[in-house]
Amino acid sequence: MVLVIIPAFNEEKSIIGVLDELHAELPDADIVVINDCSRDNTAHIVRKKGIPCLDMPFNMGYSAAVQCGFKYAALKGYDFVVQFDGDGQHIAAEAKKLLDTIQQTKADVVIGSRFLQSSGYHHPLFRRIGTAIFRTMIKMACNYTISDPTSGMQVLSKRCFTELSMMNSYPEYPDANLIIELLRKGYRIKEIPVKMRSRTAGVSMHSGIVKPMKYMIVMFYSIFILLLKQRRIKNQKEPAYGN
Amino acid sequence: MGISQIVFIVLAIILSSLIIVNTVKKKMFEKESLLWLFSMIIVLILGIFPNIIIIVAGWMGIDYAPSLLFLLSILWLIYLDFRLTTRSTALDVRVKELAQRNALLQERISVLEKALEQNKK
C-alpha cells in the first residue's frame, strides 16, 4: 500500500493541479494532505476533492507536517510513503519512477535527484553552493555520494518512515543531516534522476537572505552534533527531549 | 597571561562542552544551544584577547573597561531571557489550544461511541 503525503501551507493555487496529477499517475496510491495551518482555502479545496486532510492545530513548519504524515502512514499500516510537495514543483510521473525503483531495489529511501542528469532545472547560485557543501559533508561523513541532498521528493520504506515517525529529534530541516543519520544507521539510500518544475505559486521556505543563512548555520551545527552523537550512541534507543 | 584570563578561558571551554553535551543528549534544541554556544565563544575570545574590551570601552568613552563587559553581559542575558519569555508565552498558548481541542475531540468520540452502541442494538 502506498501513501502520498503532501505537506501544504497556503497552496490553494496549486493543490488542485497536484492532486489531479497524482490521481492520474498513481491511481492506486492513497493521498493525505497535511494542512500546516494554511490561511487560505487549501484545506477546503482538499476536502472537497474527498482527500483526507490532517489539520495541524498551529503552524509547525514543513518538517513537523512531514513527520505527521509519517505517523499517519505508520498508524494506517502503509508499506511506502511518497513525499510530494504541494506547490506544483514535483511531477507525479517522476514519483512513479521512485516507487518502481524502491520496489525493485529493496532500498529504504529513494531520492529523486535534480542533478544526476541535466534536467534544465534552475537552481539559484546560493542554493547550488549550499548543495555542493552538503554533498561534500555527506561524502566525508559517510563516504557516500548524494547528488541532491535537499530534494523533497523521496519515497521511504515502512522500516524507515516508521522510525522517523517516532523520532523526537526529527530535524527542523530534514536534509543532509537526516541523510547522514540514516546512512550511519545502516539504511539503504538510492538516488535516481528526476525532472522537477520551478515553483509556480506560493513562497519558498528558503526565500530571502536571512532564512537561507539561518538554514546553513543550523544545518552545519546539526551535522556536527549528529556526528558527535553517533560516536557515543550506537543502536541505543533515542531518549525523549528533556529526559 | 594572568590567572583571571586562564579562569575565563577554562570556564568558557567547560561551559561550551556542557552546552554541546546537553545538545547531544537532547536536553536542548540545537537552535537554542547555538545562542548559548555563541555566548561562550565570545567569552573565550575575550579571555584570549582581553584588550578588545579595553579598546571598545575607549571608543565608547567608558573609563573603566570592565563596566562595558558587565553592561554587555547584562544586555545579552536580558535578550536571552526575553526570548525565553516570548517562547514560553507561545508554548502556553499552544498547550491551551491542544487542551481545548482534546476536550472537544473527547466529546465527539463519546457521542460517536453512543451512536455506535445504539446502532448495534
Side-chain angles (χ1 to χ4, degrees), chain A residues 157-221:
Chain A
S157 68
K158 188 173 194 164
R159 182 172 95 104
C160 186
F161 70 71
T162 305
E163 169 153 3
L164 295 180
S165 74
M166 297 188 295
M167 204 184 251
N168 283 321
S169 60
Y170 190 73
E172 186 185 350
Y173 304 113
D175 292 331
N177 46 353
L178 191 63
I179 290 173
I180 291 172
E181 185 159 6
L182 289 174
L183 282 169
R184 286 166 79 103
K185 280 182 174 177
Y187 284 96
R188 296 169 300 243
I189 299 182
K190 205 173 156 35
E191 257 191 320
I192 64 165
V194 296
K195 294 192 183 84
M196 284 191 204
R197 301 178 194 108
S198 300
R199 178 180 264 272
T200 54
V203 178
S204 164
M205 61 176 171
H206 295 306
S207 59
I209 298 165
V210 174
K211 276 187 199 171
M213 280 175 60
K214 191 178 131 188
Y215 167 75
M216 292 297 287
I217 292 169
V218 172
M219 283 296 290
F220 280 131
Y221 186 55

Short mmCIF file of all heavy atoms in Angstrom, two decimals, chain A residues 157-221:
data_model
loop_
_atom_site.label_atom_id
_atom_site.label_comp_id
_atom_site.label_asym_id
_atom_site.label_seq_id
_atom_site.Cartn_x
_atom_site.Cartn_y
_atom_site.Cartn_z
N SER A 157 10.61 3.49 2.74
CA SER A 157 10.05 2.19 3.08
C SER A 157 9.41 2.27 4.47
O SER A 157 9.68 3.20 5.24
CB SER A 157 11.16 1.14 3.11
OG SER A 157 12.04 1.41 4.19
N LYS A 158 8.64 1.26 4.78
CA LYS A 158 7.93 1.21 6.07
C LYS A 158 8.92 1.28 7.23
O LYS A 158 8.71 1.99 8.22
CB LYS A 158 7.15 -0.10 6.13
CG LYS A 158 6.22 -0.22 7.31
CD LYS A 158 5.36 -1.46 7.17
CE LYS A 158 4.21 -1.41 8.15
NZ LYS A 158 3.17 -2.37 7.84
N ARG A 159 10.01 0.51 7.09
CA ARG A 159 11.04 0.46 8.15
C ARG A 159 11.57 1.86 8.44
O ARG A 159 11.74 2.26 9.59
CB ARG A 159 12.15 -0.47 7.68
CG ARG A 159 13.29 -0.68 8.64
CD ARG A 159 14.23 -1.77 8.13
NE ARG A 159 15.37 -1.22 7.41
CZ ARG A 159 16.62 -1.12 7.91
NH1 ARG A 159 16.85 -1.48 9.13
NH2 ARG A 159 17.60 -0.64 7.18
N CYS A 160 11.77 2.61 7.38
CA CYS A 160 12.38 3.93 7.52
C CYS A 160 11.38 4.96 8.05
O CYS A 160 11.66 5.64 9.04
CB CYS A 160 12.93 4.38 6.17
SG CYS A 160 13.86 5.91 6.27
N PHE A 161 10.19 5.05 7.43
CA PHE A 161 9.28 6.11 7.87
C PHE A 161 8.70 5.83 9.26
O PHE A 161 8.34 6.75 9.99
CB PHE A 161 8.18 6.43 6.85
CG PHE A 161 7.10 5.40 6.63
CD1 PHE A 161 6.13 5.15 7.60
CD2 PHE A 161 7.02 4.72 5.43
CE1 PHE A 161 5.14 4.22 7.39
CE2 PHE A 161 6.01 3.78 5.20
CZ PHE A 161 5.07 3.53 6.20
N THR A 162 8.65 4.54 9.63
CA THR A 162 8.18 4.22 10.98
C THR A 162 9.16 4.76 12.02
O THR A 162 8.76 5.36 13.03
CB THR A 162 7.99 2.71 11.15
OG1 THR A 162 7.12 2.24 10.14
CG2 THR A 162 7.39 2.38 12.51
N GLU A 163 10.47 4.54 11.77
CA GLU A 163 11.46 5.09 12.71
C GLU A 163 11.41 6.61 12.74
O GLU A 163 11.44 7.22 13.80
CB GLU A 163 12.87 4.63 12.32
CG GLU A 163 13.94 5.40 13.11
CD GLU A 163 15.26 4.71 13.34
OE1 GLU A 163 15.44 3.59 12.84
OE2 GLU A 163 16.09 5.30 14.04
N LEU A 164 11.31 7.23 11.56
CA LEU A 164 11.27 8.70 11.52
C LEU A 164 10.01 9.24 12.21
O LEU A 164 10.05 10.31 12.81
CB LEU A 164 11.30 9.19 10.06
CG LEU A 164 12.59 8.88 9.29
CD1 LEU A 164 12.50 9.40 7.87
CD2 LEU A 164 13.81 9.47 9.97
N SER A 165 8.92 8.48 12.15
CA SER A 165 7.68 8.96 12.77
C SER A 165 7.80 9.01 14.29
O SER A 165 7.13 9.79 14.95
CB SER A 165 6.50 8.06 12.37
OG SER A 165 6.58 6.82 13.06
N MET A 166 8.70 8.18 14.83
CA MET A 166 8.84 8.11 16.29
C MET A 166 10.01 8.96 16.80
O MET A 166 10.28 8.99 17.99
CB MET A 166 9.06 6.65 16.71
CG MET A 166 7.87 5.77 16.39
SD MET A 166 8.00 4.11 17.06
CE MET A 166 9.38 3.44 16.17
N MET A 167 10.68 9.62 15.89
CA MET A 167 11.90 10.35 16.26
C MET A 167 11.55 11.66 16.96
O MET A 167 10.97 12.55 16.36
CB MET A 167 12.67 10.66 14.96
CG MET A 167 14.14 10.86 15.12
SD MET A 167 14.86 11.33 13.55
CE MET A 167 15.76 9.88 13.14
N ASN A 168 11.93 11.79 18.24
CA ASN A 168 11.68 13.05 18.94
C ASN A 168 12.52 14.18 18.39
O ASN A 168 12.17 15.34 18.47
CB ASN A 168 11.96 12.89 20.43
CG ASN A 168 10.84 12.14 21.12
OD1 ASN A 168 9.67 12.35 20.81
ND2 ASN A 168 11.18 11.25 22.02
N SER A 169 13.68 13.82 17.85
CA SER A 169 14.60 14.84 17.35
C SER A 169 14.52 14.98 15.83
O SER A 169 15.51 15.31 15.19
CB SER A 169 16.03 14.48 17.73
OG SER A 169 16.36 13.22 17.15
N TYR A 170 13.35 14.71 15.26
CA TYR A 170 13.21 14.86 13.80
C TYR A 170 13.59 16.30 13.46
O TYR A 170 13.02 17.23 13.99
CB TYR A 170 11.79 14.54 13.34
CG TYR A 170 11.65 14.44 11.85
CD1 TYR A 170 12.16 13.34 11.16
CD2 TYR A 170 11.03 15.44 11.12
CE1 TYR A 170 12.05 13.26 9.78
CE2 TYR A 170 10.90 15.36 9.74
CZ TYR A 170 11.42 14.26 9.08
OH TYR A 170 11.31 14.17 7.71
N PRO A 171 14.59 16.49 12.58
CA PRO A 171 15.15 17.83 12.42
C PRO A 171 14.19 18.84 11.79
O PRO A 171 13.32 18.47 11.01
CB PRO A 171 16.36 17.61 11.49
CG PRO A 171 16.17 16.28 10.88
CD PRO A 171 15.29 15.48 11.75
N GLU A 172 14.39 20.08 12.12
CA GLU A 172 13.58 21.17 11.57
C GLU A 172 13.78 21.26 10.06
O GLU A 172 12.86 21.58 9.32
CB GLU A 172 13.98 22.49 12.23
CG GLU A 172 13.09 23.66 11.83
CD GLU A 172 13.57 24.99 12.39
OE1 GLU A 172 14.48 24.97 13.25
OE2 GLU A 172 13.03 26.01 11.98
N TYR A 173 15.01 21.02 9.61
CA TYR A 173 15.30 20.99 8.18
C TYR A 173 15.81 19.58 7.86
O TYR A 173 17.01 19.31 8.00
CB TYR A 173 16.38 22.02 7.82
CG TYR A 173 16.04 23.44 8.23
CD1 TYR A 173 16.77 24.09 9.20
CD2 TYR A 173 14.99 24.12 7.62
CE1 TYR A 173 16.48 25.39 9.56
CE2 TYR A 173 14.68 25.42 7.98
CZ TYR A 173 15.44 26.05 8.96
OH TYR A 173 15.14 27.33 9.32
N PRO A 174 14.92 18.68 7.45
CA PRO A 174 15.35 17.29 7.23
C PRO A 174 16.04 17.12 5.87
O PRO A 174 15.45 16.64 4.92
CB PRO A 174 14.03 16.51 7.29
CG PRO A 174 12.98 17.49 6.88
CD PRO A 174 13.47 18.86 7.21
N ASP A 175 17.28 17.53 5.78
CA ASP A 175 18.01 17.42 4.52
C ASP A 175 19.27 16.58 4.70
O ASP A 175 19.18 15.40 5.04
CB ASP A 175 18.36 18.83 4.00
CG ASP A 175 17.13 19.61 3.57
OD1 ASP A 175 16.15 18.98 3.15
OD2 ASP A 175 17.15 20.85 3.68
N ALA A 176 20.43 17.19 4.51
CA ALA A 176 21.69 16.45 4.58
C ALA A 176 21.90 15.79 5.94
O ALA A 176 22.41 14.68 6.04
CB ALA A 176 22.86 17.39 4.27
N ASN A 177 21.47 16.48 7.01
CA ASN A 177 21.66 15.93 8.35
C ASN A 177 20.88 14.63 8.51
O ASN A 177 21.39 13.64 9.07
CB ASN A 177 21.24 16.95 9.42
CG ASN A 177 19.91 17.61 9.12
OD1 ASN A 177 19.34 17.42 8.04
ND2 ASN A 177 19.40 18.38 10.05
N LEU A 178 19.67 14.57 7.99
CA LEU A 178 18.87 13.36 8.11
C LEU A 178 19.45 12.25 7.25
O LEU A 178 19.47 11.08 7.66
CB LEU A 178 17.42 13.64 7.70
CG LEU A 178 16.42 12.54 8.02
CD1 LEU A 178 16.33 12.32 9.53
CD2 LEU A 178 15.04 12.86 7.47
N ILE A 179 19.95 12.61 6.08
CA ILE A 179 20.58 11.61 5.20
C ILE A 179 21.79 10.98 5.89
O ILE A 179 21.97 9.76 5.88
CB ILE A 179 20.99 12.24 3.85
CG1 ILE A 179 19.74 12.58 3.03
CG2 ILE A 179 21.90 11.32 3.05
CD1 ILE A 179 19.99 13.36 1.77
N ILE A 180 22.61 11.82 6.52
CA ILE A 180 23.79 11.31 7.24
C ILE A 180 23.35 10.37 8.36
O ILE A 180 23.90 9.28 8.53
CB ILE A 180 24.64 12.47 7.79
CG1 ILE A 180 25.31 13.23 6.65
CG2 ILE A 180 25.69 11.97 8.78
CD1 ILE A 180 26.03 14.50 7.06
N GLU A 181 22.34 10.79 9.10
CA GLU A 181 21.86 9.96 10.22
C GLU A 181 21.36 8.60 9.70
O GLU A 181 21.69 7.56 10.27
CB GLU A 181 20.74 10.69 10.97
CG GLU A 181 20.29 9.92 12.21
CD GLU A 181 19.60 10.79 13.24
OE1 GLU A 181 19.35 11.98 12.97
OE2 GLU A 181 19.29 10.25 14.32
N LEU A 182 20.59 8.62 8.63
CA LEU A 182 20.05 7.36 8.09
C LEU A 182 21.17 6.46 7.55
O LEU A 182 21.17 5.25 7.79
CB LEU A 182 19.03 7.65 6.99
CG LEU A 182 17.69 8.25 7.45
CD1 LEU A 182 16.83 8.63 6.25
CD2 LEU A 182 16.93 7.28 8.34
N LEU A 183 22.11 7.07 6.85
CA LEU A 183 23.22 6.27 6.29
C LEU A 183 24.04 5.63 7.41
O LEU A 183 24.40 4.45 7.34
CB LEU A 183 24.13 7.15 5.43
CG LEU A 183 23.63 7.47 4.02
CD1 LEU A 183 24.47 8.56 3.36
CD2 LEU A 183 23.61 6.22 3.13
N ARG A 184 24.31 6.40 8.46
CA ARG A 184 25.12 5.87 9.55
C ARG A 184 24.37 4.83 10.38
O ARG A 184 24.97 4.04 11.08
CB ARG A 184 25.66 7.01 10.40
CG ARG A 184 26.79 7.76 9.69
CD ARG A 184 27.12 9.08 10.34
NE ARG A 184 27.93 8.92 11.53
CZ ARG A 184 29.24 9.16 11.59
NH1 ARG A 184 29.89 9.55 10.53
NH2 ARG A 184 29.90 9.01 12.73
N LYS A 185 23.04 4.85 10.27
CA LYS A 185 22.25 3.83 10.98
C LYS A 185 22.08 2.59 10.10
O LYS A 185 21.42 1.64 10.50
CB LYS A 185 20.87 4.38 11.35
CG LYS A 185 20.88 5.26 12.58
CD LYS A 185 19.49 5.72 12.93
CE LYS A 185 19.52 6.48 14.24
NZ LYS A 185 18.21 7.02 14.62
N GLY A 186 22.61 2.64 8.89
CA GLY A 186 22.59 1.46 8.03
C GLY A 186 21.42 1.40 7.05
O GLY A 186 21.19 0.36 6.43
N TYR A 187 20.69 2.48 6.89
CA TYR A 187 19.60 2.47 5.90
C TYR A 187 20.17 2.57 4.50
O TYR A 187 21.19 3.22 4.27
CB TYR A 187 18.63 3.64 6.15
CG TYR A 187 17.72 3.41 7.34
CD1 TYR A 187 18.04 3.93 8.59
CD2 TYR A 187 16.55 2.66 7.21
CE1 TYR A 187 17.21 3.70 9.68
CE2 TYR A 187 15.72 2.45 8.29
CZ TYR A 187 16.06 2.96 9.52
OH TYR A 187 15.24 2.74 10.60
N ARG A 188 19.51 1.89 3.56
CA ARG A 188 19.98 1.89 2.17
C ARG A 188 19.30 3.05 1.42
O ARG A 188 18.07 3.07 1.33
CB ARG A 188 19.63 0.56 1.50
CG ARG A 188 20.34 -0.64 2.14
CD ARG A 188 19.73 -1.94 1.62
NE ARG A 188 18.31 -2.00 1.94
CZ ARG A 188 17.76 -2.92 2.72
NH1 ARG A 188 18.50 -3.86 3.25
NH2 ARG A 188 16.46 -2.92 2.95
N ILE A 189 20.11 3.93 0.92
CA ILE A 189 19.57 5.10 0.22
C ILE A 189 20.04 5.06 -1.23
O ILE A 189 21.22 4.84 -1.51
CB ILE A 189 20.04 6.43 0.87
CG1 ILE A 189 19.55 6.48 2.31
CG2 ILE A 189 19.53 7.62 0.09
CD1 ILE A 189 19.90 7.76 3.05
N LYS A 190 19.07 5.25 -2.13
CA LYS A 190 19.39 5.25 -3.55
C LYS A 190 18.89 6.56 -4.16
O LYS A 190 17.97 7.19 -3.64
CB LYS A 190 18.66 4.07 -4.21
CG LYS A 190 19.35 3.60 -5.47
CD LYS A 190 18.78 2.37 -6.05
CE LYS A 190 19.07 2.28 -7.55
NZ LYS A 190 20.35 2.80 -8.01
N GLU A 191 19.52 6.95 -5.26
CA GLU A 191 19.09 8.17 -5.96
C GLU A 191 18.81 7.84 -7.40
O GLU A 191 19.53 7.03 -8.01
CB GLU A 191 20.23 9.19 -5.96
CG GLU A 191 20.10 10.32 -4.98
CD GLU A 191 21.12 11.39 -5.23
OE1 GLU A 191 22.28 11.05 -5.54
OE2 GLU A 191 20.77 12.56 -5.12
N ILE A 192 17.75 8.44 -7.94
CA ILE A 192 17.55 8.32 -9.38
C ILE A 192 17.27 9.73 -9.93
O ILE A 192 16.79 10.60 -9.20
CB ILE A 192 16.39 7.37 -9.75
CG1 ILE A 192 15.05 7.88 -9.24
CG2 ILE A 192 16.66 5.95 -9.25
CD1 ILE A 192 13.86 7.17 -9.86
N PRO A 193 17.58 9.95 -11.22
CA PRO A 193 17.34 11.28 -11.77
C PRO A 193 15.84 11.53 -11.98
O PRO A 193 15.11 10.63 -12.40
CB PRO A 193 18.07 11.24 -13.12
CG PRO A 193 18.20 9.81 -13.46
CD PRO A 193 18.20 9.04 -12.21
N VAL A 194 15.41 12.72 -11.62
CA VAL A 194 14.02 13.12 -11.88
C VAL A 194 14.01 14.53 -12.44
O VAL A 194 14.98 15.28 -12.28
CB VAL A 194 13.12 13.08 -10.61
CG1 VAL A 194 12.99 11.68 -10.06
CG2 VAL A 194 13.62 14.05 -9.55
N LYS A 195 12.88 14.86 -13.08
CA LYS A 195 12.69 16.24 -13.52
C LYS A 195 11.77 16.92 -12.52
O LYS A 195 10.89 16.30 -11.94
CB LYS A 195 12.03 16.26 -14.91
CG LYS A 195 12.88 15.68 -16.01
CD LYS A 195 12.25 16.01 -17.37
CE LYS A 195 13.04 15.38 -18.51
NZ LYS A 195 12.69 13.99 -18.78
N MET A 196 12.00 18.21 -12.33
CA MET A 196 11.11 18.99 -11.47
C MET A 196 10.81 20.32 -12.15
O MET A 196 11.62 20.81 -12.94
CB MET A 196 11.77 19.27 -10.11
CG MET A 196 11.78 18.09 -9.17
SD MET A 196 12.27 18.59 -7.51
CE MET A 196 12.90 17.05 -6.88
N ARG A 197 9.65 20.89 -11.81
CA ARG A 197 9.29 22.20 -12.36
C ARG A 197 9.77 23.28 -11.40
O ARG A 197 9.98 23.03 -10.22
CB ARG A 197 7.77 22.33 -12.50
CG ARG A 197 7.13 21.31 -13.37
CD ARG A 197 5.62 21.53 -13.37
NE ARG A 197 4.94 20.39 -13.93
CZ ARG A 197 4.23 19.51 -13.23
NH1 ARG A 197 4.06 19.66 -11.94
NH2 ARG A 197 3.67 18.47 -13.82
N SER A 198 9.86 24.50 -11.91
CA SER A 198 10.11 25.62 -10.99
C SER A 198 8.80 25.91 -10.28
O SER A 198 7.72 25.62 -10.80
CB SER A 198 10.55 26.86 -11.78
OG SER A 198 11.73 26.55 -12.47
N ARG A 199 8.91 26.49 -9.09
CA ARG A 199 7.72 26.82 -8.30
C ARG A 199 6.82 27.78 -9.09
O ARG A 199 7.28 28.76 -9.63
CB ARG A 199 8.17 27.48 -6.99
CG ARG A 199 7.09 27.92 -6.08
CD ARG A 199 7.69 28.54 -4.82
NE ARG A 199 7.78 27.58 -3.75
CZ ARG A 199 6.80 27.33 -2.88
NH1 ARG A 199 5.66 27.98 -2.97
NH2 ARG A 199 6.94 26.45 -1.92
N THR A 200 5.48 27.44 -9.10
CA THR A 200 4.55 28.28 -9.88
C THR A 200 3.77 29.26 -8.99
O THR A 200 3.28 30.27 -9.45
CB THR A 200 3.51 27.40 -10.62
OG1 THR A 200 2.87 26.55 -9.67
CG2 THR A 200 4.16 26.56 -11.70
N ALA A 201 3.66 28.91 -7.70
CA ALA A 201 2.89 29.79 -6.81
C ALA A 201 3.41 29.64 -5.39
O ALA A 201 4.16 28.71 -5.10
CB ALA A 201 1.41 29.43 -6.86
N GLY A 202 3.02 30.53 -4.51
CA GLY A 202 3.42 30.44 -3.11
C GLY A 202 4.85 30.93 -2.90
O GLY A 202 5.53 31.38 -3.83
N VAL A 203 5.29 30.82 -1.64
CA VAL A 203 6.62 31.32 -1.26
C VAL A 203 7.46 30.17 -0.72
O VAL A 203 6.99 29.39 0.10
CB VAL A 203 6.49 32.43 -0.17
CG1 VAL A 203 7.85 32.92 0.27
CG2 VAL A 203 5.64 33.57 -0.69
N SER A 204 8.70 30.08 -1.17
CA SER A 204 9.59 29.02 -0.69
C SER A 204 9.96 29.27 0.77
O SER A 204 10.06 30.41 1.22
CB SER A 204 10.86 29.02 -1.55
OG SER A 204 11.88 28.29 -0.90
N MET A 205 10.18 28.16 1.51
CA MET A 205 10.58 28.32 2.91
C MET A 205 12.03 28.78 3.03
O MET A 205 12.49 29.14 4.11
CB MET A 205 10.37 27.01 3.67
CG MET A 205 11.16 25.83 3.18
SD MET A 205 10.87 24.43 4.26
CE MET A 205 11.67 23.14 3.36
N HIS A 206 12.75 28.77 1.90
CA HIS A 206 14.13 29.25 1.92
C HIS A 206 14.29 30.55 1.17
O HIS A 206 15.35 30.86 0.64
CB HIS A 206 15.07 28.19 1.31
CG HIS A 206 15.12 26.92 2.09
ND1 HIS A 206 15.43 26.90 3.42
CD2 HIS A 206 14.90 25.63 1.72
CE1 HIS A 206 15.40 25.63 3.85
NE2 HIS A 206 15.09 24.85 2.85
N SER A 207 13.23 31.33 1.10
CA SER A 207 13.30 32.59 0.33
C SER A 207 13.98 33.68 1.16
O SER A 207 14.10 33.57 2.39
CB SER A 207 11.90 33.03 -0.07
OG SER A 207 11.13 33.21 1.09
N GLY A 208 14.43 34.73 0.48
CA GLY A 208 15.05 35.86 1.17
C GLY A 208 16.54 35.62 1.41
O GLY A 208 17.17 34.79 0.78
N ILE A 209 17.08 36.42 2.35
CA ILE A 209 18.51 36.34 2.65
C ILE A 209 18.72 35.74 4.04
O ILE A 209 19.57 34.87 4.24
CB ILE A 209 19.15 37.75 2.58
CG1 ILE A 209 19.01 38.32 1.17
CG2 ILE A 209 20.62 37.69 2.98
CD1 ILE A 209 19.27 39.80 1.07
N VAL A 210 17.92 36.19 5.00
CA VAL A 210 18.11 35.75 6.40
C VAL A 210 17.79 34.26 6.54
O VAL A 210 18.54 33.51 7.18
CB VAL A 210 17.23 36.59 7.35
CG1 VAL A 210 17.29 36.05 8.77
CG2 VAL A 210 17.66 38.05 7.32
N LYS A 211 16.68 33.82 5.94
CA LYS A 211 16.28 32.41 6.09
C LYS A 211 17.35 31.45 5.57
O LYS A 211 17.71 30.50 6.27
CB LYS A 211 14.97 32.16 5.35
CG LYS A 211 13.72 32.51 6.14
CD LYS A 211 12.48 32.05 5.40
CE LYS A 211 11.25 32.76 5.90
NZ LYS A 211 10.07 32.49 5.06
N PRO A 212 17.89 31.64 4.36
CA PRO A 212 18.94 30.72 3.90
C PRO A 212 20.18 30.74 4.79
O PRO A 212 20.79 29.69 5.02
CB PRO A 212 19.30 31.24 2.49
CG PRO A 212 18.14 32.02 2.06
CD PRO A 212 17.54 32.60 3.29
N MET A 213 20.55 31.92 5.31
CA MET A 213 21.74 31.99 6.19
C MET A 213 21.49 31.22 7.47
O MET A 213 22.35 30.46 7.92
CB MET A 213 22.06 33.46 6.51
CG MET A 213 22.80 34.16 5.38
SD MET A 213 23.06 35.89 5.66
CE MET A 213 24.01 35.93 7.15
N LYS A 214 20.31 31.41 8.04
CA LYS A 214 19.93 30.71 9.27
C LYS A 214 19.94 29.20 9.00
O LYS A 214 20.44 28.42 9.81
CB LYS A 214 18.54 31.19 9.67
CG LYS A 214 18.09 30.78 11.05
CD LYS A 214 16.71 31.34 11.33
CE LYS A 214 15.80 30.27 11.86
NZ LYS A 214 14.41 30.62 12.00
N TYR A 215 19.39 28.82 7.86
CA TYR A 215 19.32 27.41 7.47
C TYR A 215 20.72 26.80 7.41
O TYR A 215 20.96 25.72 7.96
CB TYR A 215 18.62 27.33 6.11
CG TYR A 215 18.73 26.00 5.39
CD1 TYR A 215 17.99 24.90 5.81
CD2 TYR A 215 19.54 25.87 4.28
CE1 TYR A 215 18.07 23.69 5.14
CE2 TYR A 215 19.64 24.65 3.61
CZ TYR A 215 18.90 23.58 4.03
OH TYR A 215 18.99 22.37 3.38
N MET A 216 21.65 27.49 6.77
CA MET A 216 23.03 26.96 6.63
C MET A 216 23.69 26.79 8.00
O MET A 216 24.31 25.76 8.27
CB MET A 216 23.87 27.89 5.75
CG MET A 216 23.48 27.94 4.30
SD MET A 216 23.65 26.36 3.44
CE MET A 216 25.41 26.23 3.29
N ILE A 217 23.54 27.79 8.86
CA ILE A 217 24.18 27.73 10.18
C ILE A 217 23.60 26.56 10.98
O ILE A 217 24.34 25.76 11.56
CB ILE A 217 23.99 29.06 10.95
CG1 ILE A 217 24.77 30.18 10.26
CG2 ILE A 217 24.46 28.93 12.40
CD1 ILE A 217 24.44 31.57 10.78
N VAL A 218 22.27 26.47 10.98
CA VAL A 218 21.61 25.39 11.75
C VAL A 218 22.00 24.02 11.18
O VAL A 218 22.23 23.08 11.94
CB VAL A 218 20.08 25.59 11.76
CG1 VAL A 218 19.37 24.38 12.37
CG2 VAL A 218 19.70 26.84 12.53
N MET A 219 22.08 23.91 9.87
CA MET A 219 22.44 22.64 9.24
C MET A 219 23.85 22.19 9.62
O MET A 219 24.08 21.03 9.96
CB MET A 219 22.34 22.75 7.71
CG MET A 219 20.94 22.69 7.19
SD MET A 219 20.17 21.10 7.50
CE MET A 219 21.11 20.10 6.39
N PHE A 220 24.81 23.11 9.55
CA PHE A 220 26.21 22.76 9.90
C PHE A 220 26.29 22.29 11.34
O PHE A 220 26.92 21.29 11.65
CB PHE A 220 27.13 23.98 9.72
CG PHE A 220 27.53 24.23 8.30
CD1 PHE A 220 27.43 25.49 7.75
CD2 PHE A 220 27.99 23.20 7.50
CE1 PHE A 220 27.78 25.73 6.44
CE2 PHE A 220 28.34 23.43 6.18
CZ PHE A 220 28.23 24.69 5.65
N TYR A 221 25.63 23.04 12.21
CA TYR A 221 25.66 22.70 13.63
C TYR A 221 24.98 21.36 13.87
O TYR A 221 25.46 20.53 14.64
CB TYR A 221 24.98 23.83 14.43
CG TYR A 221 25.07 23.67 15.92
CD1 TYR A 221 26.29 23.51 16.56
CD2 TYR A 221 23.92 23.68 16.71
CE1 TYR A 221 26.37 23.37 17.94
CE2 TYR A 221 23.99 23.55 18.08
CZ TYR A 221 25.21 23.39 18.69
OH TYR A 221 25.29 23.25 20.05
#
